[in-house]
Amino acid sequence: WETCWFKVELSIPLAWAGREVHFIWESDGEGMVWRDAQPVQGLTKEGEKTSYILTRSLKESEPHSLTLDVEVACSVLFGAGKGSMIAPPDPDRRVTLSKAELVVFNRDVYELLVDLEILLDMAQLLGEENQRSFQALYTANQMVNVCDTTDPSTFPAARELAAAVFSQRNGQSQHTIHAMGHCHIDSAWLWPYEETIRKCARSWVTVLHLMELNPELTFACSQLGPMAVLRQAQQFEWVRSCYPGLYARIQDFVAKGQFIPVGSTWVEMDGNLPSGESMVRQFLQGQRFFQEQFGRICSEFWLPDTFGYSAQLPQLMRGCGIQRFLTQKLSWNLVNSFPHHTFFWEGIDGSQVLTHFPPGDSYGMHGRVEEMLKTVKNNKDKGRVNHSAFLFGFGDGGGGPTQKMLDRMKRMSDTDGLPRVQVSTPDQLFSVLEKESSQLCTWVGELFLELHNGTYTTQAQIKKGNRECERILHDVEVLSTLAVAQDSVFQYPASQLQRLWRLLLLNQFHDVLPGSCIQLVVEDALQYYTEIRRAGAQLQEEAVQSLCRDLLQPKARSTHSTLVLNTLAWERTEVISRPGADGAEALALVTVPSMGYALVQEPFVPPQPVAVRKQEDGSITMENGVIAVCLDTMGHLTSLQLLDSGRSSIPDGCYANQFALFDDVPLYWDAWDVMDYHLETRKPVTMLLKPLEITLAGGLRGSVRFSLQVGKSSTLTQEIILDAMCPYLRFLTQVEWKEAHKFLKVEFPVQVRSTSATYEIQFGHLQRPTHWNTSWDWARFEVWAHKWLDLSEHGFGVALLNDCKYGASARRNVLSLSL
């Protein structure tokens, strides 16, 4: 992931006066041309950018000798995978320079070839029943007859023939395509964060050069294009820090209206897994950055490449001043084709946003006739709207638009037989759609991607780090706010918290938090989580010292008292562990008020202690007056009763807390996918290493422990805990995971009948069916949830809670958590 530098000395022949001169550079690694210590042109063979224009017409006054620097990476647009795009990077990869030349570029020949390309595509794609198809074919044939390749004076006549076809106009009813330059750059994926900074510079400097040559071009930067649409504030911050000269030029083009911020968020985050507060912070940090740096906030939210969209997003968007949303990822659905391209999306509270999916089902179009025709043909809302988006430019690994893409579309701007094409902006598109919106349909609830369901579980340490750090930052902010309210000297750590939040938000990028990234990115992400934990603990300690200074003085409390804080918004009664008089850990039952504290001196005695008993058959029962459970020697939960209800939660003959192993061999996207057929390979985990044994015999807490072998080489150890007065059972599970292409879950069959289960999402909950009546139902064989899922009927239910997992399912009466 390092780069090497070439110093290139050029001498242009005097005989090339008046000619267009290019510097050609072809290598199998991404590159960047530097001139006078400033980046001027990105180079990428895959992105069709292998030349740097030195002059459009060489003048005698221009320098004929100059020196350039070329920075070359060992990776390409899509990383450095060994043998496959999504394979791990090849540590022995070598980059080869295949061409470095100074050439004369014949623009007349180039324009003639683009004319012929468009005409031949029209002839081939419009069909035999279309008169324009034959007009294009015969015109192309005439051009070949007129053109003498040895006589450039014949070229203008050939081009006039093409221009006559392109100048024949459409009728007023023709569909209008809004073309927007676009350059999707993943903040980390098949390359680390550091390489993304260089990718941004390579892509964006190229776009600026294109804008200078094509003033009509606009670029939508969600990561960017000629109208350039700008999406990820984090990437702008990187460029601002590492390439200040380039960033100043970007600011100028933003002021001109060509470089357009549309993203709204700090990064293109995953649309499912971040908490509600994290999503708010994504918008807050993104919108604040765009306001401070470009003098405006975004009215559109672009999230084209994430793996599904929470039903809470419309409400969050509206709360952040956004009423327009664009994506295309649901075109990847493996089962059902989404029924709309332009519609109103309604969230769980009734909030609505105008939503548009580019009908071409891509954010990386190349401006070809075939793509324009697909955009019209594929549009599922014909008759309701007559405008749609067309995002062109190389993407994912950067690259962006090219001159050839623009030149193709110029010929199709208003040509009979083809849709009308105009270089546009997001605001122009959505303004027109809003005027046409009276007949649009409404989609209520989540936009669920029927693919990449494995991303809810892949890379368990990243999932755990995200949840823990979200909780840490919540607690720091609560305690710091209370400290500010009580102590006028205490300084709220705003800058430190912003730094930590931005680290967390960065790790919520849609290939990092889902785990669909290379190992090097995982290592970076885990380091960021470590830093948030370290700095967060320090900030929390400082807030507590200020908030509770008097209580922490030795004179203010006895030597055996313990200060207990509650950062949640409800009173809690729980068993805690604290240092005892002899220095050993001791348990105490405490009650702490909402957003408050308690000074615990004498332990609170529960009305009924926990009783743990071993039965003759080796099973163990635990009871605390609220619930009663029975566990067999394998750790299975054979009985679970809420004593007041007198009702058992586990069906007769069934085992809850049943671990099951599945084969995980997807069609292609290994880290992303788990396919529905994995359910056919279920194997219960039955290899017992250590049978169930009592580890705490009762009182304030009872616990048991057992160990299993999972698969060929993995081990699982679980401690099951019941605390006094507690209405739930806790499972502390540790897995030493050494399996490949396997999927571990834990299942809880419950004696509840309901056609839907309830899952926690951001600031709310969502119901999904427990049956598979339709293809839309069974496509949700693996779904995501946050801290709980619940299966309830009238008057009774069972919930499964977690502190670091996201993948889940509820099929009939079985709740399952993916580990």
Side-chain angles (χ1 to χ4, degrees):
W1 301 108
E2 296 180 353
T3 60
C4 59
W5 290 76
F6 293 83
K7 183 177 181 180
V8 183
E9 295 182 350
L10 303 175
S11 181
I12 305 174
L14 295 174
W16 288 3
R19 310 294 291 276
E20 182 171 342
V21 182
H22 290 197
F23 167 57
I24 302 294
W25 181 279
E26 291 186 11
S27 72
D28 53 5
E30 289 191 271
M32 175 120 82
V33 180
W34 292 71
R35 187 170 182 175
D36 300 326
Q38 291 296 323
V40 292
Q41 174 72 52
L43 298 168
T44 159
K45 192 172 182 179
E46 298 161 296
E48 298 180 2
K49 297 179 182 67
T50 57
S51 68
Y52 169 54
I53 302 175
L54 297 171
T55 176
R56 281 296 182 97
S57 179
L58 183 63
K59 298 180 179 61
E60 188 176 341
S61 59
E62 290 184 279
H64 285 52
S65 297
L66 65 155
T67 299
L68 302 176
D69 295 299
V70 180
E71 180 187 17
V72 178
C74 202
S75 58
V76 295
L77 273 185
F78 287 92
K82 187 174 183 177
S84 155
M85 180 183 77
I86 61 172
D90 180 3
D92 299 318
R93 191 176 191 276
R94 298 291 184 269
V95 63
T96 301
L97 173 61
S98 55
K99 184 181 291 187
E101 296 179 350
L102 196 61
V103 302
V104 169
F105 183 78
N106 193 322
R107 189 155 295 276
D108 289 337
V109 172
Y110 164 83
E111 299 288 359
L112 197 57
L113 289 172
V114 176
D115 288 342
L116 282 168
E117 177 194 313
I118 301 298
L119 289 170
L120 292 174
D121 282 350
M122 290 175 65
Q124 184 178 11
L125 298 170
L126 289 178
E128 293 185 3
E129 71 282 358
N130 193 313
Q131 174 71 16
R132 288 289 279 174
S133 171
F134 287 92
Q135 289 178 353
L137 177 63
Y138 285 115
T139 299
N141 186 65
Q142 285 179 281
M143 290 173 66
V144 172
N145 293 337
V146 167
C147 183
D148 181 351
T149 57
T150 65
D151 182 5
S153 66
T154 63
F155 296 171
R159 291 213 61 208
E160 287 174 6
L161 292 171
V165 175
F166 299 145
S167 64
Q168 292 178 300
R169 301 305 179 204
N170 274 300
Q172 292 184 353
S173 64
Q174 183 60 273
H175 187 84
T176 299
I177 288 176
H178 293 249
M180 293 172 258
H182 193 254
C183 174
H184 183 76
I185 304 175
D186 286 327
S187 290
W189 179 31
L190 304 174
W191 50 86
Y193 287 127
E194 186 177 343
E195 180 62 22
T196 306
I197 302 173
R198 291 191 284 263
K199 282 181 173 288
C200 290
R202 295 179 196 124
S203 300
W204 296 354
V205 73
T206 305
V207 166
L208 295 185
H209 185 55
L210 209 55
M211 287 180 176
E212 289 169 344
L213 298 176
N214 303 269
E216 78 281 3
L217 179 62
T218 55
F219 185 68
C221 186
S222 50
Q223 289 122 190
L224 292 174
M227 170 226 58
V229 183
L230 320 175
R231 291 201 303 271
Q232 298 191 57
Q234 171 68 85
Q235 294 183 357
F236 286 97
E237 178 60 27
W238 281 334
V239 171
R240 187 170 76 96
S241 300
C242 299
Y243 300 89
L246 171 59
Y247 187 76
R249 293 178 62 201
I250 289 174
Q251 288 182 305
D252 290 340
F253 278 94
V254 170
K256 294 176 185 177
Q258 284 182 266
F259 221 82
I260 301 174
V262 296
S264 304
T265 50
W266 186 245
V267 298
E268 269 189 34
M269 76 280 193
D270 180 82
N272 298 321
L273 308 187
S275 69
E277 187 61 37
S278 289
M279 283 191 169
V280 169
R281 300 305 175 104
Q282 288 282 0
F283 285 107
L284 173 66
Q285 292 293 335
Q287 294 282 53
R288 177 181 290 168
F289 182 88
F290 289 127
Q291 178 66 53
E292 291 175 351
Q293 295 298 315
F294 304 120
R296 54 161 292 181
I297 63 171
C298 304
S299 57
E300 299 89 13
F301 179 37
W302 285 36
L303 199 59
D305 194 33
T306 195
F307 312 141
Y309 305 89
S310 168
Q312 181 59 277
L313 272 170
Q315 182 180 6
L316 296 181
M317 281 187 262
R318 292 300 295 260
C320 296
I322 298 165
Q323 302 181 36
R324 302 160 167 179
F325 177 55
L326 183 144
T327 184
Q328 60 81 46
K329 198 64 176 184
L330 264 63
S331 65
W332 285 47
N333 272 7
L334 203 59
V335 181
N336 298 286
S337 176
F338 194 79
H340 302 293
H341 281 103
T342 306
F343 58 98
F344 285 106
W345 180 22
E346 185 174 305
I348 59 175
D349 74 322
S351 296
Q352 291 189 348
V353 291
L354 179 59
T355 301
H356 182 69
F357 297 174
D361 293 341
S362 173
Y363 51 71
M365 295 295 203
H366 293 172
R368 298 184 181 276
V369 171
E370 180 181 12
E371 297 165 342
M372 302 299 175
L373 296 176
K374 179 183 178 181
T375 295
V376 177
K377 181 180 179 180
N378 203 40
N379 183 13
K380 293 186 173 70
D381 296 282
K382 298 183 185 76
R384 295 190 178 99
V385 292
N386 204 25
H387 294 255
S388 59
F390 183 93
L391 309 182
F392 64 96
F394 289 94
D396 288 338
T402 67
Q403 184 64 53
K404 182 172 282 189
M405 296 175 190
L406 285 169
D407 291 337
R408 288 172 181 143
M409 291 186 293
K410 287 175 183 177
R411 289 159 171 80
M412 292 184 275
S413 61
D414 192 4
T415 296
D416 186 25
L418 298 177
R420 190 175 286 108
V421 181
Q422 65 181 54
V423 174
S424 185
T425 67
D427 181 65
Q428 290 172 5
L429 168 67
F430 277 102
S431 294
V432 174
L433 293 178
E434 286 166 351
K435 293 176 182 177
E436 297 181 346
S437 65
S438 62
Q439 300 299 314
L440 291 178
C441 299
T442 299
W443 182 270
V444 179
E446 67 181 329
L447 297 175
F448 185 86
L449 178 65
E450 296 171 358
L451 192 68
H452 296 352
N453 315 60
T455 59
Y456 315 145
T457 306
T458 298
Q459 293 291 352
Q461 288 300 319
I462 283 185
K463 306 298 194 288
K464 181 179 175 67
N466 180 72
R467 185 76 64 78
E468 286 183 355
C469 290
E470 286 178 334
R471 185 172 64 249
I472 288 168
L473 293 181
H474 167 272
D475 289 352
V476 170
E477 292 189 334
V478 167
L479 295 169
S480 297
T481 301
L482 293 174
V484 167
Q486 181 170 300
D487 184 354
S488 60
V489 178
F490 181 80
Q491 295 292 314
Y492 188 84
S495 60
Q496 298 99 307
L497 279 168
Q498 175 167 280
R499 182 180 72 88
L500 298 181
W501 266 113
R502 286 184 172 183
L503 285 179
L504 179 60
L505 300 181
L506 174 60
N507 274 355
Q508 290 174 349
F509 179 74
H510 68 252
D511 279 310
V512 179
L513 180 53
S516 51
C517 54
I518 60 174
Q519 183 63 26
L520 187 58
V521 178
V522 173
E523 293 168 3
D524 287 344
L526 295 181
Q527 287 182 1
Y528 290 160
Y529 290 136
T530 299
E531 170 60 14
I532 295 170
R533 291 185 183 102
R534 183 202 63 79
Q538 181 178 338
L539 293 175
Q540 183 171 296
E541 177 65 21
E542 292 171 0
V544 170
Q545 289 292 334
S546 173
L547 181 63
C548 305
R549 184 180 296 110
D550 294 339
L551 295 172
L552 293 171
Q553 298 300 321
K555 295 180 181 179
R557 58 191 179 97
S558 72
T559 55
H560 300 301
S561 63
T562 303
L563 179 66
V564 184
L565 294 154
N566 175 16
T567 57
L568 297 182
W570 53 89
E571 181 182 271
R572 296 159 67 188
T573 298
E574 293 181 15
V575 174
I576 65 165
S577 178
R578 64 169 183 160
D582 57 357
E585 290 292 305
L587 299 177
L589 182 65
V590 301
T591 297
V592 186
S594 159
M595 295 286 186
Y597 66 88
L599 200 59
V600 181
Q601 297 178 349
E602 296 301 323
F604 172 52
V605 179
Q608 182 171 334
V610 178
V612 183
R613 301 182 182 90
K614 189 166 187 175
Q615 309 301 312
E616 291 183 0
D617 61 358
S619 64
I620 295 175
T621 62
M622 294 194 290
E623 184 176 335
N624 66 356
V626 182
I627 60 175
V629 303
C630 182
L631 298 141
D632 69 10
T633 56
M634 291 283 294
H636 296 136
L637 195 59
T638 58
S639 175
L640 170 62
Q641 285 189 320
L642 185 64
L643 295 175
D644 283 349
S645 72
R647 177 171 170 173
S648 177
S649 301
I650 310 298
D652 293 340
C654 292
Y655 297 129
N657 197 37
Q658 170 68 66
F659 294 94
L661 198 63
F662 300 80
D663 291 343
D664 179 24
V665 186
L667 296 176
Y668 177 69
W669 299 99
D670 201 349
W672 292 256
D673 284 349
V674 57
M675 313 308 295
D676 58 345
Y677 53 74
H678 87 281
L679 296 171
E680 302 172 14
T681 67
R682 178 183 180 274
K683 296 179 181 65
V685 176
T686 58
M687 182 65 72
L688 186 63
L689 296 179
K690 292 182 181 180
L692 190 72
E693 60 179 3
I694 297 173
T695 50
L696 282 176
L700 288 178
R701 174 173 291 170
S703 67
V704 296
R705 180 184 292 133
F706 66 95
S707 295
L708 302 171
Q709 179 175 320
V710 179
K712 293 183 178 180
S713 308
S714 302
T715 57
L716 181 152
T717 300
Q718 187 178 73
E719 185 177 14
I720 303 175
I721 299 170
L722 181 63
D723 284 342
M725 298 180 65
C726 187
Y728 55 83
L729 196 61
R730 282 196 293 147
F731 302 84
L732 302 183
T733 311
Q734 183 171 350
V735 181
E736 186 73 21
W737 186 248
K738 298 179 180 179
E739 305 306 299
H741 293 109
K742 298 293 181 182
F743 195 176
L744 180 64
K745 303 183 183 184
V746 62
E747 301 168 343
F748 289 81
V750 296
Q751 197 155 299
V752 176
R753 178 169 176 79
S754 177
T755 57
S756 63
T758 305
Y759 302 78
E760 191 204 24
I761 66 170
Q762 299 85 355
F763 297 133
H765 59 266
L766 186 72
Q767 290 189 325
R768 300 184 179 109
T770 57
H771 56 74
W772 289 358
N773 282 359
T774 71
S775 60
W776 294 90
D777 299 333
W778 68 257
R780 287 167 164 81
F781 60 87
E782 176 80 4
V783 298
W784 62 273
H786 282 193
K787 294 187 288 292
W788 55 264
L789 62 152
D790 170 90
L791 190 66
S792 291
E793 57 189 46
H794 179 70
F796 188 80
V798 179
L800 183 58
L801 291 78
N802 77 86
D803 65 357
C804 62
K805 297 297 174 184
Y806 295 92
S809 64
R811 169 79 168 127
R812 314 260 330 161
N813 70 321
V814 179
L815 300 178
S816 176
L817 191 65
S818 299
L819 305 180

